[in-house]
Amino acid sequence: MRWGAISLLARKICPCKHARLLGESWVFLTDFQWPSLKEIQLLSHAHSLCGLRLSPRCVFISWGAKQAKDRHYPERAQGPCQLPTLCKVEGNLQREMDSKYGFYLHVYADPAAVIFQVRQLRKFFPRSPIHVMSDGGMDFSPLCKQQGCTFELCPPANDRWHPWPFLKRLLLATLSLKTDFVIMLEPDNTIHGPIKREPKHDAGGIFVEDRAFGLVEYVEKLAQERVPGFKWTRTAMSAGLAGGAYFRREAILDAFSDENMMKLDWNMLGEKATKEIYSSDFAMQYALAARGWRIAPWEETAQMDKDKDVPLTGPKDAAFRHYCSCYPGGKPTYNIRLKKEDAKLALDQPAEFSKVNSVCQLCYNLSRYVALWGSARCTNEIPFSYSKRLLQRYHPEVLQGACELPWLCTPTKPD
């Protein structure tokens, strides 16, 4: 056995709480003067498994140095492995590691960004399950076959503006992931490291200063049927539930279920507020609050604005970043070019989905969804249609018998 001074490379891959401290110096113990390439690869994998911040100093125990492992970790021989940096963890600890966080990627196109994002998740969260859902866009099943994620290609619905398919798809992803928390990501999010501040509420996201919602008394009355005394606070309203937001599994399965989300009078909300009530960020706030779930900003997601390095809100070391369109040079992941060897990982949008332009706001009802796509797959199965007041406000031509929006009505044929 030889002792070696720690290298700069080793400094980067020494985060684990199971590392041993000898004196005041950085050291590693290995069979060789310097770690082999394979050892470095294994230690890098251990780094990502730990999911912890870098410790100020530590000791590496070589994977091949059995004597050293027996000396420093005698517990290894006394029962199942509890040290993911040194051996394969099994049983309850493995289940705990696997079931804490799952990732839901809401996508449409941007293959280079999606591929990069999945690979970043595999780097920082190698054991966390990933579910990719395409809203009638590109088919990422080859990517998921390569990276070990699950994929769902849903019919196009521009669901970011239509909560009935949006919430159902997030619920279906939650059932697939089987994790305690679901973290929702969009292709323009970037990932910068493991989670250091664990979720403390039922949902959380970007801090949005001075934001408030209307019809609070109506929402609180609904919530108090399940949670007596519930208050929808300004703190809760200040959490932006965009990419980088987290949700507790139980909250999703309850608040976003077909029956419970339809307890909200969506027509009344739209009539008394603005159409933004139907955007995904706003709709999720209303759905969660109406069931009494706790929401707050989360310090693991930061909002990037006009400063390239300093977030507008959230800490600089947040695990996830969300970008405005004003970000200098544009959103980083949208500047990534698709590599030739990666082109096969994303297939074109199915021809049947490209026949109808899905970019439309307030353009949904269940009967037309079923007529277009043959079933209610990937959407709420309870019928919904907009009130006459909303149609008069946003699509008056429909009430006049003219229809060019197949999402809302049967298109009229030209004379």
Side-chain angles (χ1 to χ4, degrees):
M1 295 296 173
R2 299 180 183 178
W3 291 96
I6 196 74
S7 69
L8 290 176
L9 176 60
R11 285 177 187 264
K12 296 180 180 179
I13 53 177
C14 187
C16 295
K17 62 183 178 181
H18 302 300
R20 291 294 196 259
L21 169 65
L22 297 183
E24 295 295 322
S25 62
W26 291 73
V27 293
F28 64 84
L29 180 60
T30 179
D31 290 319
F32 305 96
Q33 181 68 24
W34 300 103
S36 67
L37 175 61
K38 183 169 181 61
E39 287 178 317
I40 290 173
Q41 290 171 339
L42 290 171
L43 290 169
S44 296
H45 183 57
H47 171 200
S48 59
L49 279 181
C50 285
L52 301 173
R53 300 182 69 180
L54 292 177
S55 55
R57 53 184 70 84
C58 61
V59 167
F60 281 122
I61 304 298
S62 168
W63 284 68
K66 183 178 184 300
Q67 181 179 356
K69 286 188 288 189
D70 290 345
R71 174 184 174 185
H72 290 282
Y73 300 98
E75 64 269 29
R76 287 191 331 110
Q78 299 173 4
C81 175
Q82 298 290 309
L83 303 173
T85 59
L86 292 177
C87 50
K88 182 178 179 181
V89 178
E90 298 176 350
N92 292 334
L93 181 58
Q94 181 62 66
R95 285 191 290 273
E96 180 180 342
M97 292 169 59
D98 291 349
S99 64
K100 183 76 171 181
Y101 302 111
F103 292 89
Y104 170 59
L105 277 57
H106 181 279
V107 307
Y108 180 77
D110 305 299
V114 175
I115 291 167
F116 176 77
Q117 191 174 77
V118 170
R119 287 173 175 166
Q120 287 295 97
L121 286 174
R122 283 286 172 249
K123 174 183 176 181
F124 293 112
F125 304 91
R127 292 190 177 275
S128 291
I130 302 169
H131 182 85
V132 181
M133 190 286 300
S134 176
D135 180 17
M138 298 187 75
D139 181 346
F140 290 95
S141 54
L143 171 65
C144 279
K145 184 176 181 180
Q146 181 194 78
Q147 295 293 326
C149 50
T150 55
F151 175 74
E152 179 80 10
L153 178 57
C154 290
N158 196 26
D159 63 6
R160 57 190 174 171
W161 276 95
H162 303 117
W164 306 275
F166 187 93
L167 299 183
K168 182 60 172 279
R169 294 167 184 191
L170 180 47
L171 183 146
L172 293 173
T174 302
L175 293 173
S176 173
L177 291 167
K178 300 180 176 64
T179 51
D180 295 337
F181 292 94
V182 174
I183 298 172
M184 182 181 73
L185 296 174
E186 297 160 337
D188 58 345
N189 286 118
T190 55
I191 304 153
H192 297 267
I195 292 169
K196 302 167 286 297
R197 308 165 186 91
E198 294 192 354
K200 298 179 181 178
H201 299 84
D202 301 313
I206 307 161
F207 174 61
V208 183
E209 192 173 5
D210 295 329
R211 185 169 74 166
F213 295 106
L215 302 166
V216 174
E217 290 184 6
Y218 166 73
V219 171
E220 289 179 344
K221 184 177 180 181
L222 288 174
Q224 288 166 8
E225 294 177 7
R226 193 184 81 87
V227 183
F230 175 82
K231 294 295 181 182
W232 192 15
T233 66
R234 289 293 291 268
T235 297
M237 296 178 193
S238 68
L241 302 181
Y246 75 83
F247 306 87
R248 191 182 299 276
R249 173 185 173 86
E250 292 84 358
I252 290 176
L253 298 183
D254 174 72
F256 299 168
S257 70
D258 287 6
E259 296 77 11
N260 287 335
M261 73 88 68
M262 288 298 286
K263 290 179 179 179
L264 282 157
D265 187 339
W266 292 99
N267 276 318
M268 183 273 290
L269 292 174
E271 291 170 6
K272 294 190 175 183
T274 64
K275 66 179 181 179
E276 278 69 30
I277 198 80
Y278 299 116
S279 67
S280 58
D281 179 5
F282 285 33
M284 287 192 287
Q285 275 274 357
Y286 277 86
L288 289 163
R291 296 293 295 167
W293 294 100
R294 300 169 304 146
I295 312 168
W298 189 31
E299 290 190 330
E300 282 297 353
T301 182
Q303 175 64 47
M304 304 304 295
D305 200 75
K306 295 178 182 179
D307 190 304
K308 195 168 185 177
D309 301 311
V310 180
L312 177 67
T313 64
K316 194 173 182 178
D317 68 341
F320 310 102
R321 288 185 174 185
H322 184 270
Y323 296 81
C324 73
S325 57
C326 61
Y327 187 74
K331 298 183 178 184
T333 59
Y334 290 163
N335 292 327
I336 300 173
R337 293 188 176 184
L338 183 64
K339 296 179 181 178
K340 184 177 180 180
E341 61 268 26
D342 287 339
K344 63 181 181 296
L345 299 179
L347 307 178
D348 290 338
Q349 178 188 40
E352 63 174 317
F353 290 166
S354 62
K355 294 177 181 178
V356 180
N357 182 6
S358 64
V359 182
C360 183
Q361 298 175 8
L362 275 80
C363 293
Y364 173 88
N365 70 52
L366 179 62
S367 61
R368 290 303 303 156
Y369 185 100
V370 173
L372 285 169
W373 312 122
S375 74
R377 184 175 71 87
C378 295
T379 194
N380 193 310
E381 297 182 10
I382 298 175
F384 174 84
S385 58
Y386 297 107
S387 67
K388 288 184 178 181
R389 182 176 295 182
L390 286 174
L391 290 176
Q392 183 63 48
R393 186 184 300 172
Y394 298 107
H395 300 296
E397 72 281 2
V398 173
L399 296 178
Q400 296 168 6
C403 180
E404 297 180 358
L405 300 172
W407 309 99
L408 280 177
C409 48
T410 304
T412 54
K413 296 181 180 180
D415 295 333

